[in-house]
Amino acid sequence: MRALARAAIQGGRRMAGQLQSVMRQRPPPGPGEWIAGMAAGPGGVRGFHVYRPPDMAPDERLPLLVMLHGCGQTARDFAIGTRMNRLAARERFLVLYPEQDLLANPQGCWNWFELRSGQALAEAATLLSAIDRVCMAHGGDRARVAVAGLSAGAGMAALLGLSAPERFVAVAMHSGVAPGAARSRHSALAAMAGRRAPALGASPAVPLPPLLVLQGDADAVVAPVNGERAARAWAEAGGARPAAAQQRQRGQRLPMRVTAYRRRGRTQVVQVDIHGLGHDWSGGATASPFTDPRGPDASALVWGFVARQLRRLQADAAASGQSTL
């Protein structure tokens, strides 16, 4: 009994410490609300922040984009570096920024690779709890949720889409490794170096959500081949085939090669290879860590991809006489 009591006290102190750590973060600059919160699940307790655009009505329900940071970042770092809040204010959607617990990973990485121990799926379940909490308390629409991530956050975003495909309208991976390429910390290093291929498993009963893959060809942390492997594995799981790649460049930004994978006229996967980009969020804020302002605007690419899936969802619902709102 005493051991249980001590464990409960320690757990309560840890939760209180996490909440204080999250609440101490100053809001990123810009209009709108920056709300701290916590969620508990099989992977433990995780703090988060929610960005709500200005003038949101009390009964309004908006799409929700989950943004999973990379190693060595906080929720605030990721919000500032990606400038996703500015886009959310203009396009009117919510953004959820979960934050990894340093006791779960000293580098602040999401444990996307810990499949053998079960920690990866436990963390994924906790993130689903955070999504539920935000939808219930802050006006998120459960039918219009997408997830995106950078590096370790990209691996966890893909794992969420694979393990709970019915929960997401779209998934975006930036500089990450697809699920199944690693099952432990040791094999994660080999996967990041491009020495292990993803293994998504049997075709899921529920179709996988559409996937956007962003990858720099000068990435020295996650081998560029991982982007192509992630796109192909996801496409093959849904029976999609690649179209001819297209070269694109916007102004003076780094050029990119875009490959769409389609099935029955619908795009299931889009692979974007960015020439000259390292292990950074493309087109991010100047002077922020893990961003490269020279690249195409990854935040705009992510939201554009998500918005297309939302429009398709609305069109399908209208054709069937249903409502997505």
Side-chain angles (χ1 to χ4, degrees), residues 229-296:
R229 287 175 177 170
R232 287 192 176 275
W234 207 270
E236 288 172 1
R241 304 178 69 85
Q246 298 181 352
Q247 299 292 332
R248 298 179 188 174
Q249 186 170 13
R250 299 179 178 179
Q252 298 300 310
R253 292 182 183 267
L254 298 176
M256 55 185 173
R257 185 178 71 250
V258 181
T259 306
Y261 295 75
R262 298 189 177 96
R263 181 175 184 268
R264 296 179 181 174
R266 288 195 168 187
T267 300
Q268 301 295 327
V269 178
V270 175
Q271 174 188 341
V272 179
D273 299 299
I274 303 169
H275 180 65
L277 180 71
H279 195 66
D280 297 299
W281 186 268
S282 182
T286 304
S288 288
F290 308 111
T291 64
D292 187 341
R294 301 175 305 151

Side-chain angles (χ1 to χ4, degrees), residues 162-187:
L162 179 66
S163 60
E166 72 285 355
R167 298 289 302 270
F168 300 98
V169 299
V171 175
M173 298 178 64
H174 195 319
S175 309
V177 179
R183 299 188 62 81
S184 65
R185 187 179 299 270
H186 178 73
S187 59

Side-chain angles (χ1 to χ4, degrees), residues 10-315:
Q10 291 172 355
R13 288 175 177 169
R14 181 177 173 187
M15 289 177 63
Q18 285 182 314
L19 181 59
Q20 290 175 2
S21 176
V22 168
M23 294 189 70
R24 277 198 298 267
Q25 293 184 19
R26 290 179 292 111
E33 296 180 87
W34 180 251
I35 304 169
M38 300 190 73
V45 177
R46 296 294 184 275
F48 62 76
H49 279 96
V50 181
Y51 173 77
R52 284 167 50 104
D55 304 320
M56 187 173 170
D59 59 346
E60 189 175 7
R61 306 203 74 77
L62 296 178
L64 172 64
L65 176 61
V66 184
M67 291 283 285
L68 299 175
H69 63 74
C71 302
Q73 291 182 308
T74 65
R76 183 177 186 273
D77 293 336
F78 202 36
I80 292 174
T82 62
R83 295 182 291 199
M84 191 61 81
N85 291 356
R86 184 173 67 179
L87 192 58
R90 188 180 73 211
E91 301 295 332
R92 295 199 61 75
F93 59 93
L94 299 173
V95 191
L96 166 60
Y97 297 94
E99 189 164 307
Q100 177 62 301
D101 183 352
L102 294 181
L103 293 177
N105 187 294
Q107 287 75 44
C109 310
W110 298 101
N111 291 298
W112 57 273
F113 47 83
E114 288 287 6
L115 292 171
R116 184 174 299 156
S117 68
Q119 187 175 0
L121 290 174
E123 282 190 4
T126 297
L127 290 170
L128 291 175
S129 296
I131 292 170
D132 289 338
R133 188 172 182 84
V134 171
C135 288
M136 180 177 63
H138 300 295
D141 186 345
R142 284 177 57 91
R144 295 186 291 167
V145 179
V147 59
L150 171 66
S151 190
M156 182 56 75
L159 184 62
L160 280 166
L162 179 66
S163 60
E166 72 285 355
R167 298 289 302 270
F168 300 98
V169 299
V171 175
M173 298 178 64
H174 195 319
S175 309
V177 179
R183 299 188 62 81
S184 65
R185 187 179 299 270
H186 178 73
S187 59
L189 297 175
M192 291 167 63
R195 297 196 298 270
R196 294 175 65 94
L200 302 187
S203 297
V206 177
L208 294 177
L211 174 70
L212 172 66
V213 177
L214 301 165
Q215 178 65 54
D217 67 4
D219 193 331
V221 177
V222 172
V225 70
N226 281 293
E228 179 182 357
R229 287 175 177 170
R232 287 192 176 275
W234 207 270
E236 288 172 1
R241 304 178 69 85
Q246 298 181 352
Q247 299 292 332
R248 298 179 188 174
Q249 186 170 13
R250 299 179 178 179
Q252 298 300 310
R253 292 182 183 267
L254 298 176
M256 55 185 173
R257 185 178 71 250
V258 181
T259 306
Y261 295 75
R262 298 189 177 96
R263 181 175 184 268
R264 296 179 181 174
R266 288 195 168 187
T267 300
Q268 301 295 327
V269 178
V270 175
Q271 174 188 341
V272 179
D273 299 299
I274 303 169
H275 180 65
L277 180 71
H279 195 66
D280 297 299
W281 186 268
S282 182
T286 304
S288 288
F290 308 111
T291 64
D292 187 341
R294 301 175 305 151
D297 189 342
S299 295
L301 291 171
V302 167
W303 179 249
F305 184 77
V306 173
R308 286 193 293 274
Q309 311 316 315
L310 293 175
R311 289 194 295 270
R312 190 174 81 176
L313 181 70
Q314 188 172 20

